[in-house]
Amino acid sequence: LMYTAAAHFEAAETAPGYGVEMGKPRLDWGALAAKRDAYVARLNGIYTRNLDNAGVTHVEGLARFVAPREVEVAGARYSADHVLIAVGGRPATPPIPGAEYCISSDGFFDLKAQPEKALVVGAGYIAVELAGILQALGSSVSLAVRGAGVLRHGFDPLVQEIINAEIPRSGTQLLTNTQVVAVEKDAASGKLTARLASGER
């Protein structure tokens, strides 16, 4: 839903090229977030019902292997001929001063208001996607990456080339060869400032 909302903003921007005047769109972040959360809850319900209907037993908890092909969850043991480990991943927060003031990609979905200005750190597709969504919805966005560009590992070179050219064209400031070394918070205003390895802020 966030991506689709961003696409509507981009459509309004390009519409005059087709003789369509849509005016400047306005975003109700709270309404969008509520619709997104309701959509996710509905999808989760559908997936749960599908698993239930298929006879899949859902066990929630921290699992650990106790023997070959046997795991334990909350004191109960489960065994199978084949055990598939598909735990997903968690975003890594760099060990820098002020990291506690930052949010991860998960925290993006907890934002109660649209940020006027955002610094997204990372070169992977999630960082690129979140930076693009925020920019399209009207936030001023900088995207900081340690290397020469985004999507450097495992992506088609043509995709890399196009995306790295498109990011600045979209209005996002792409900060290449950049490393955030600290984040400072102003006690009075709550404003965050990132300090870069180059000494810039």
Side-chain angles (χ1 to χ4, degrees):
L1 259 62
M2 305 298 285
Y3 176 85
T4 303
H8 286 304
F9 267 65
E10 289 179 338
E13 181 182 336
T14 59
Y18 298 91
V20 178
E21 294 295 336
M22 298 175 66
K24 183 171 176 151
R26 290 181 301 109
L27 176 66
D28 183 336
W29 182 274
L32 175 60
K35 289 179 184 296
R36 178 203 63 216
D37 293 346
Y39 177 75
V40 170
R42 185 177 70 82
L43 277 184
N44 287 340
I46 291 170
Y47 297 147
T48 299
R49 285 191 297 278
N50 287 345
L51 290 172
D52 290 343
N53 292 338
V56 174
T57 301
H58 178 246
V59 180
E60 190 168 338
L62 183 63
R64 67 184 184 97
F65 279 95
V66 292
R69 298 185 295 279
E70 186 174 6
V71 296
E72 182 180 83
V73 183
R77 292 189 174 198
Y78 303 88
S79 62
D81 292 335
H82 303 282
V83 178
L84 172 65
I85 302 173
V87 296
R90 292 183 180 165
T93 302
I96 59 171
E100 67 274 14
Y101 303 131
C102 305
I103 63 171
S104 69
S105 52
D106 292 336
F108 169 80
F109 295 100
D110 296 326
L111 289 173
K112 302 301 180 194
Q114 179 182 5
E116 290 182 22
K117 193 172 184 182
L119 171 64
V120 179
V121 180
Y125 71 91
I126 294 176
V128 171
E129 181 180 33
L130 293 182
I133 288 171
L134 286 169
Q135 178 69 37
L137 293 176
S139 298
S140 174
V141 180
S142 297
L143 177 58
V145 299
R146 289 181 295 180
V150 300
L151 307 182
R152 297 185 319 273
H153 305 293
F155 288 87
D156 182 275
L158 181 59
V159 171
Q160 293 175 359
E161 181 182 341
I162 291 171
I163 294 296
N164 278 284
E166 185 66 16
I167 287 172
R169 190 210 65 77
S170 73
T172 296
Q173 182 183 21
L174 181 58
L175 304 172
T176 57
N177 303 303
T178 298
Q179 188 161 353
V180 177
V181 295
V183 175
E184 299 158 355
K185 183 174 184 177
D186 183 83
S189 67
K191 179 182 176 183
L192 301 178
T193 301
R195 184 157 44 89
L196 309 181
S198 64
E200 295 178 85
R201 294 173 182 263

